[in-house]
Amino acid sequence: MRRTYLGEFEEMILLMVAILNGEGYGVTISEALAEHTGRIVTFGTVHNTLIRLEEKGFVTSELGGATAERGGRRKRIFRITALGNQALQEIQQLRKNLWLLLPPDMLQPGNV
Amino acid sequence: MKSPVQPPRWARWLLSRLHPDNTLEEVTGDLDELYTYWYKRSGKTQATLRYLLNVVSVIPPFVRRRNTDKQYYQQPDYRPTLSLKSTMIQNYLKIAFRSLKRQKVATSINVIGLAIGLATCILIMLYIQDELSYDRYNEKADRIFRVGLMAKLNGEDVGGPMLGPNAARDLQQEIPEILKATRILKGGEFVSNGTSSFKEDNLLYADSNFCEVFTIPFLKGDPKRALTEPNTVVLTEETAQKYFGNQDPVGKVLLFSREKIPHRITGVVRNVPTNAHFRFDMLVSSPDDDEQHIGWMYSINYYTYVVLPEKFNYKQLEAKVTRLAERQIGGELQEFLHLSPKQFREKGNDFGIFLQPLTKIHLYSTFGGTELTPGGNILYVYVLMAIAAFMLLIACVNFMNLSTATAVRRSREIGVRKVLGSVKRQLQHQFLIESVLLAIAALIVGLLIVAISLPFFNQLTGKTLTLSLLTNAFVATGLLVGTVLVGLLAGSYPAFYLSSFEPVAVLKGRITAGRGSFNLRSGLVAFQFFITISMIIATVTADRQLRYMQAQKIGFNREHVLIIHDTQMLHKNEILFRDKIVQSPLVITASISGQVPIGNSALDNTPVMSRENPDKAVMSRFYKVDDEYIPTLGMHVMQGRNFSKNSSTDSSAVILNETAVRALGWQQNPIGKELIGHIDDNGVKTYYQVIGVVSDFHFESLRQKIGPLVMFLGGNSGNILVKTRTGQLPQFLASLKQQWESFSPAAPFSYSFLDDRFKQVYVGEQKIEQVLTLFSGLTIFIACLGLFGLATFAAEQRTKEIGVRKVLGASVGSVVALLSRDFLKPIVIALALASPVAWWSMNQWLKEFAYKVTIDWWFFAVAGLLAIGIALLTVSFQSIKAALTNPIKSLRSE
């Protein structure tokens, strides 16, 4: 399979979608990102990244779940796909392997 | 149900307008939710600000568009078919050629219209390019400046491009920034190579560093040493050929003037380019300065040029130059007029000098007659640019109109293509390719037209333009790219309009253009006719003015008057020659005078005063004549008498024209009154007695008002004016030439006819009329094309209506009237708009003339009728065709 590149921010967003597990849409993803990483970004950034992730096939989306708070408008709810899951796993595996290659003394805090 | 807190409505409106439709719902919802959250946490202002920031982040160009195509997400390798694949392009080209071939008339009209627009544009561009290229061939073009004199005397501007002989030397010595200064003096001389003699009018006296300032390519000789010695001369190729054929002229000698002073030839240079503000056939080394009369203000005949360092702003120099001029000219004023500069200025006079960039001399100089060659006018360049732009714009608009009109016939093709799966973009490409193809065809035809019409255009403009500019790679690509752009632009409307048809409607034969687009087209037609009608009115006015000027009573008889030039070269034999001429049976009278009433427009007015009122100077033209002058030119003596050979006192007598009498203030009986005609350096006045008055005659063109004129007896030399009977002129001229040569003068025999010279004066006006006629013809043609396109379109649109009308019994005439009526409206509007504009601008033009026609109402009537007539003719071609069609054909498909 062609390896699709996953950027750092994309990876974060993808992780948030995975964490929210079926509850993820624009607002919750932005809030989770702020909560877990402290990053405050514009809504457009999140929106664009989600569309890009969907184009790459890492997430799927469907419309649903209108509430009064949003004036009866539907949400676009994102779910991670098997491909997205695999991509996250691969990244994690790659990191693990790379960490194992580090010289042992580098792991000591203060030596970096 | 609505949420209690709402973001600003206008911000949400902005979002709804600009955000892509397919994600609008969820984004609006998300942002609302966020707004509520921010509102609760940090208040209204913060929330609104954040909301705005985030709205901006989801509108173009920041937002990413979501692709609606479901398949896109399911098949990662899916790519939409490119409509510009080579097979498709082949298909487009094939279809384009087929459909163009099928509609031969429409295609050729379309191509010719655009071709004419392009050709006019190219011709005008060539002209403008030439005008702008003046003097740029000089390597130092940007660093050379001409120093001119600014002077005001009695409120009149008497400055000009020339200075006294010393200015150049002083400027170079006193101002270190001036690297070089050089002078040119215009001259005319009789030159002979021993066997034959010529009158050389295009002769320049130049300083030895002339060739270091200007770029003059030498074919033979050394540019550095060519003009260093006195009495040396440099010839152009053409002149060298004239005197010496193919022999090497360097080192040979030419004899100058009647004293036959030998000048050695030290070089041969290339002919001067036509786009130079000076022209010469010979360059002669500057004569030694006359030590007595040197300075800045004495003998102001030298064109002075300076070279500045590279990238130097000449404005910085002006203060220094002004200071120097103040000192030099001020000193001279003190010496000659015994006035300090301050006193001089207090009398309402002024003086100074100024720098003029070399490259601006041709188009921006305002000195007219005192320039080395007649200059251009930057205003004409702008007007021509506007005309070129208009022509191109109108041609493009027509191209668009006609393409749309003809393309509507192909609606079925579009329908079928759409049904077979062609998408909008493919159709757009198809039509764009077609129109680019047509535009390129038009460019080729346009270039052909340019090539054919260039000689006529050159004749009209007096230039020697060539197509060589077009072979320049840069210009050629520019032209091609421009044409493709025109094609794309012109094709864009039909392309986008046609590709948006609903296939079902098209195949059912139901397409109609909206009313709006029809109005736009009518507006464009009105605009075109506005220009056309203005041009017709301008042409008619120019024509009337020209006829008026030529038919004017000029106050003397110009028929059968022969002028023999340069008779002063005969010295004492001048009178002998005249007496011999008079003996011929063909001659009625012959007169010797330096002044010919037409053609010399040098402004050499001299003050005269009446004896009673010596302080009031009247600037008058002086004519030095003999007793035969008035009868030879058939002038009318109103009061008193002509000069007489027998009266010894007539040498101190004068004859005035009516204007001079009025200006001097002698209402009744001026005969016997005296005027002061001359005051010498010591203040001694010479008085002249008035013996006669001639009725006013035009001694210049009708552009000027007749000024005061004083005729003196004697001191005359220069031309012999001969009044002849009609008869064997060629033999007569041959015998004159023989007699002339028997005196063996240094000048060749040359002559002209007075009425020819009269016509010469109006060449300028004639050219304006020709240019106007040409352009009005072209605009009429192009406007007709526009109308034709519109008529075709309208007839096409109303096919069914006409069919139904005919079935119900309408006559051909009524159908034609119905179709034509629509087109009269824009033309009438155009007439109403054009009339005042044309009236105003032609009045501006007529202001240049002292004697002029008035613009009558019938000028407008003629222009209007002409425009309407031509328009009806154009439209009726289409409407008659539509009216004659068998209604079955148009109604069959229903």
Side-chain angles (χ1 to χ4, degrees):
Chain A
M1 201 201 82
R2 188 181 57 192
R3 181 185 283 274
T4 310
Y5 177 75
L6 192 59
E8 191 268 346
F9 190 71
E10 285 173 354
E11 186 190 340
M12 283 298 141
I13 297 288
L14 189 56
L15 277 170
M16 297 306 147
V17 172
I19 291 166
L20 288 164
N21 191 21
E23 295 292 319
Y25 66 101
V27 174
T28 48
I29 293 170
S30 301
E31 279 169 354
L33 186 74
E35 188 187 327
H36 298 304
T37 69
R39 286 192 195 188
I40 310 266
V41 293
T42 56
F43 182 72
T45 320
V46 176
H47 175 76
N48 290 350
T49 311
L50 284 169
I51 290 179
R52 203 175 300 126
L53 283 173
E54 189 166 5
E55 280 169 17
K56 287 179 179 175
F58 295 134
V59 296
T60 55
S61 71
E62 58 188 312
L63 289 170
T67 60
E69 202 179 17
R70 25 193 309 126
R73 295 186 185 84
R74 287 175 298 170
K75 304 166 182 168
R76 182 172 291 276
I77 297 183
F78 292 88
R79 267 173 228 280
I80 190 158
T81 60
L83 188 66
N85 216 319
Q86 195 184 340
L88 284 177
Q89 306 269 6
E90 270 175 25
I91 289 175
Q92 193 59 15
Q93 193 57 48
L94 185 73
R95 294 253 161 88
K96 261 187 203 154
N97 293 344
L98 289 174
W99 274 87
L100 287 177
L101 292 178
L102 278 180
D105 53 332
M106 286 297 283
L107 278 170
Q108 304 299 320
N111 264 8
V112 184
Chain B
M1 196 182 128
K2 272 193 175 174
S3 159
V5 281
Q6 290 279 334
R9 260 164 91 193
W10 59 271
R12 196 192 270 166
W13 174 82
L14 193 75
L15 181 72
S16 67
R17 286 304 300 266
L18 295 174
H19 189 80
D21 283 341
N22 57 359
T23 48
L24 183 63
E25 183 182 348
E26 64 254 32
V27 167
T28 318
D30 286 2
L31 284 175
D32 275 14
E33 216 174 294
L34 283 168
Y35 182 81
T36 320
Y37 171 68
W38 293 321
Y39 190 94
K40 281 180 189 150
R41 217 182 55 178
S42 18
K44 191 173 176 187
T45 328
Q46 271 284 328
T48 309
L49 274 177
R50 283 189 168 206
Y51 184 81
L52 271 182
L53 175 72
N54 284 294
V55 164
V56 171
S57 78
V58 288
I59 58 178
F62 307 109
V63 73
R64 191 180 178 87
R65 274 165 211 283
R66 193 186 167 81
N67 200 324
T68 23
D69 201 340
K70 260 282 174 215
Q71 288 197 328
Y72 187 89
Y73 299 102
Q74 286 160 6
Q75 300 177 349
D77 282 336
Y78 171 80
R79 290 285 176 277
T81 319
L82 269 177
S83 61
L84 280 179
K85 271 187 183 163
S86 68
T87 43
M88 276 323 275
I89 291 178
Q90 268 177 23
N91 177 269
Y92 296 153
L93 288 177
K94 192 184 270 175
I95 298 292
F97 277 120
R98 275 187 199 160
S99 68
L100 294 180
K101 247 164 86 185
R102 200 164 49 230
Q103 305 179 346
K104 282 194 196 76
V105 181
T107 307
S108 46
I109 286 179
N110 212 348
V111 168
I112 288 170
L114 190 60
I116 286 180
L118 282 172
T120 323
C121 227
I122 293 171
L123 279 179
I124 292 179
M125 284 304 147
L126 283 176
Y127 179 87
I128 291 176
Q129 202 276 336
D130 186 72
E131 285 286 285
L132 293 179
S133 73
Y134 263 69
D135 294 308
R136 293 212 182 263
Y137 67 90
N138 284 297
E139 280 161 19
K140 298 174 189 154
D142 296 326
R143 298 161 54 196
I144 303 175
F145 293 82
R146 189 170 69 182
V147 190
L149 176 70
M150 186 275 287
K152 270 201 186 110
L153 214 58
N154 302 324
E156 239 179 288
D157 255 322
V158 293
M162 295 179 276
L163 277 175
N166 272 12
R169 194 196 59 196
D170 295 343
L171 282 167
Q172 192 168 1
Q173 279 176 1
E174 306 275 328
I175 300 178
E177 286 89 341
I178 290 177
L179 303 179
K180 281 191 189 95
T182 194
R183 305 169 304 169
I184 306 179
L185 177 66
K186 196 175 162 60
E189 209 49 273
F190 294 98
V191 178
S192 101
N193 61 355
T195 47
S196 51
S197 73
F198 298 95
K199 185 177 184 183
E200 293 295 345
D201 287 322
N202 261 335
L203 188 143
L204 291 182
Y205 293 95
D207 285 343
S208 55
N209 61 355
F210 179 78
C211 304
E212 292 167 35
V213 174
F214 296 102
T215 309
I216 312 279
F218 269 66
L219 297 173
K220 285 179 185 129
D222 179 4
K224 287 215 169 67
R225 294 215 316 270
L227 294 168
T228 44
E229 289 169 49
N231 293 345
T232 47
V233 58
V234 169
L235 307 184
T236 61
E237 269 176 287
E238 205 181 300
T239 321
Q241 181 77 23
K242 185 169 85 178
Y243 283 94
F244 300 102
N246 292 326
Q247 289 173 303
D248 183 2
V250 176
K252 291 210 166 65
V253 167
L254 286 176
L255 305 174
F256 272 53
S257 78
R258 43 187 180 191
E259 284 80 30
K260 302 207 186 292
I261 303 162
H263 281 62
R264 193 161 51 82
I265 298 166
T266 50
V268 179
V269 297
R270 257 186 227 295
N271 293 334
V272 189
T274 46
N275 54 354
H277 85 282
F278 57 74
R279 231 150 270 168
F280 59 83
D281 296 327
M282 285 186 183
L283 275 180
V284 188
S285 54
S286 279
D288 285 334
D289 289 335
D290 178 356
E291 283 300 328
Q292 264 192 322
H293 300 308
I294 50 171
W296 289 45
M297 292 290 278
Y298 209 92
S299 64
I300 307 177
N301 291 321
Y302 290 84
Y303 297 91
T304 306
Y305 301 85
V306 297
V307 182
L308 302 184
E310 265 174 78
K311 299 198 174 68
F312 189 82
N313 184 2
Y314 74 99
K315 294 274 178 208
Q316 291 170 16
L317 212 61
E318 264 175 357
K320 265 190 187 176
V321 170
T322 309
R323 234 176 297 139
L324 181 65
E326 197 75 20
R327 202 170 72 222
Q328 298 287 353
I329 300 176
E332 285 168 40
L333 287 174
Q334 189 84 46
E335 195 181 327
F336 295 123
L337 300 174
H338 310 293
L339 289 173
S340 72
K342 204 172 157 232
Q343 287 169 314
F344 185 70
R345 290 211 169 94
E346 271 165 9
K347 292 182 114 184
N349 305 322
D350 199 8
F351 70 88
I353 62 174
F354 60 90
L355 295 178
Q356 195 176 22
L358 177 71
T359 47
K360 286 199 170 175
I361 291 176
H362 176 68
L363 286 174
Y364 292 88
S365 182
T366 50
F367 302 120
T370 48
E371 283 291 345
L372 286 159
T373 51
N377 190 338
I378 190 70
L379 196 70
Y380 287 166
V381 170
Y382 290 140
V383 168
L384 281 173
M385 274 183 181
I387 289 180
F390 270 136
M391 289 290 259
L392 197 61
L393 181 75
I394 288 177
C396 284
V397 167
N398 285 342
F399 186 73
M400 225 162 92
N401 261 345
L402 278 165
S403 314
T404 319
T406 48
V408 169
R409 292 190 199 144
R410 296 169 60 188
S411 49
R412 237 157 263 237
E413 179 196 330
I414 297 158
V416 171
R417 270 180 187 273
K418 281 201 152 185
V419 167
L420 291 178
S422 146
V423 293
K424 250 187 188 183
R425 185 166 302 164
Q426 284 176 314
L427 286 168
Q428 283 163 4
H429 284 157
Q430 187 195 343
F431 282 103
L432 287 177
I433 283 177
E434 262 188 54
S435 92
V436 168
L437 216 62
L438 269 186
I440 290 174
L443 176 67
I444 294 167
V445 178
L447 285 174
L448 272 176
I449 296 176
V450 170
I452 292 167
S453 60
L454 202 57
F456 303 101
F457 188 69
N458 276 338
Q459 210 179 359
L460 198 66
T461 55
K463 285 195 180 291
T464 46
L465 304 174
T466 55
L467 283 176
S468 61
L469 180 76
L470 297 179
T471 54
N472 177 337
F474 184 72
V475 177
T477 20
L479 212 57
L480 199 67
V481 169
T483 311
V484 170
L485 275 182
V486 164
L488 287 178
L489 209 69
S492 60
Y493 181 66
F496 290 99
Y497 169 65
L498 292 170
S499 61
S500 65
F501 288 162
E502 284 294 321
V504 179
V506 167
L507 289 177
K508 275 190 83 182
R510 248 198 340 217
I511 43 145
T512 43
R515 198 74 199 157
S517 70
F518 190 78
N519 277 342
L520 177 71
R521 274 160 235 255
S522 307
L524 290 170
V525 166
F527 175 65
Q528 292 178 15
F529 270 86
F530 166 75
I531 291 177
T532 310
I533 292 171
S534 312
M535 292 296 275
I536 297 175
I537 295 172
T539 313
V540 172
T541 316
D543 180 64
R544 299 304 308 168
Q545 175 67 15
L546 197 65
R547 278 168 205 275
Y548 175 79
M549 286 197 292
Q550 279 170 345
Q552 262 291 302
K553 271 186 124 173
I554 49 167
F556 60 89
N557 191 347
R558 61 176 190 264
E559 306 292 321
H560 310 303
V561 178
L562 173 75
I563 305 161
I564 302 166
H565 306 162
D566 310 316
T567 52
Q568 78 275 14
M569 298 303 285
L570 299 172
H571 306 278
K572 285 161 277 165
N573 291 333
E574 194 176 19
I575 295 166
L576 193 67
F577 185 47
R578 198 267 312 264
D579 293 344
K580 271 194 176 171
I581 293 171
V582 179
Q583 283 163 17
S584 160
L586 279 170
V587 173
I588 304 168
T589 52
S591 160
I592 304 175
S593 172
Q595 279 79 22
V596 180
I598 307 166
N600 51 343
S601 61
L603 297 158
D604 49 355
N605 283 342
T606 320
V608 294
M609 287 74 74
S610 64
R611 187 178 198 123
E612 304 88 75
N613 197 359
D615 289 332
K616 193 188 167 237
V618 173
M619 299 303 278
S620 318
R621 180 66 67 83
F622 281 15
Y623 265 31
K624 303 211 163 151
V625 301
D626 62 7
D627 54 312
E628 294 290 335
Y629 194 73
I630 290 174
T632 303
L633 289 174
M635 290 170 185
H636 175 58
V637 180
M638 296 173 71
Q639 282 176 298
R641 60 177 176 86
N642 186 10
F643 294 116
S644 159
K645 227 180 284 185
N646 306 323
S647 169
S648 58
T649 55
D650 273 7
S651 59
S652 63
V654 289
I655 295 176
L656 307 180
N657 72 350
E658 292 169 87
T659 311
V661 172
R662 272 198 302 276
L664 285 164
W666 293 319
Q667 301 306 337
Q668 275 110 35
N669 199 19
I671 307 297
K673 295 262 166 51
E674 286 188 304
L675 56 80
I676 304 162
H678 181 73
I679 305 174
D680 71 7
D681 291 347
N682 303 321
V684 177
K685 294 166 182 163
T686 315
Y687 291 94
Y688 291 89
Q689 195 179 32
V690 179
I691 59 163
V693 178
V694 289
S695 45
D696 276 343
F697 63 93
H698 288 279
F699 47 82
E700 274 166 35
S701 88
L702 287 164
R703 257 165 268 158
Q704 278 95 24
K705 269 215 147 45
I706 298 176
L709 178 96
V710 183
M711 290 185 184
F712 296 88
L713 182 65
N716 51 329
S717 180
N719 299 299
I720 298 181
L721 285 72
V722 186
K723 177 84 177 174
T724 60
R725 295 188 175 87
T726 42
Q728 295 110 340
L729 261 182
Q731 284 96 318
F732 177 55
L733 284 170
S735 76
L736 281 183
K737 187 166 195 271
Q738 219 168 17
Q739 283 173 32
W740 172 274
E741 274 157 5
S742 71
F743 297 115
S744 61
F749 177 70
S750 68
Y751 63 89
S752 61
F753 290 96
L754 197 55
D755 46 356
D756 286 348
R757 287 177 69 157
F758 186 76
K759 275 184 207 138
Q760 279 292 313
V761 175
Y762 300 111
V763 164
E765 281 75 25
Q766 240 157 8
K767 276 199 176 144
I768 288 180
E769 199 212 344
Q770 283 169 349
V771 169
L772 279 175
T773 315
L774 179 73
F775 280 125
S776 50
L778 283 176
T779 45
I780 289 172
F781 181 76
I782 288 190
C784 283
L785 281 186
L787 205 59
F788 187 80
L790 195 62
T792 318
F793 191 70
E796 204 76 38
Q797 295 281 306
R798 298 170 81 171
T799 327
K800 292 249 160 74
E801 181 195 333
I802 294 164
V804 172
R805 277 175 192 272
K806 284 195 82 175
V807 167
L808 293 179
S811 69
V812 172
S814 71
V815 172
V816 171
L818 174 83
L819 286 174
S820 306
R821 208 180 303 141
D822 278 352
F823 296 101
L824 286 180
K825 209 164 62 184
I827 294 167
V828 171
I829 293 172
L831 180 65
L833 289 178
S835 298
V837 173
W839 181 81
W840 181 80
S841 43
M842 284 326 276
N843 261 337
Q844 290 304 106
W845 182 68
L846 285 173
K847 266 189 191 159
E848 277 182 42
F849 301 91
Y851 303 90
K852 60 197 173 208
V853 285
T854 46
I855 301 174
D856 278 329
W857 62 270
W858 64 262
F859 289 17
F860 305 105
V862 163
L865 284 179
L866 201 63
I868 290 172
I870 291 171
L872 282 183
L873 215 67
T874 316
V875 173
S876 61
F877 178 76
Q878 270 302 319
S879 47
I880 289 173
K881 202 171 125 191
L884 287 177
T885 338
N886 191 342
I888 287 177
K889 275 189 184 159
S890 53
L891 296 176
R892 186 177 48 187
S893 59
E894 205 68 9

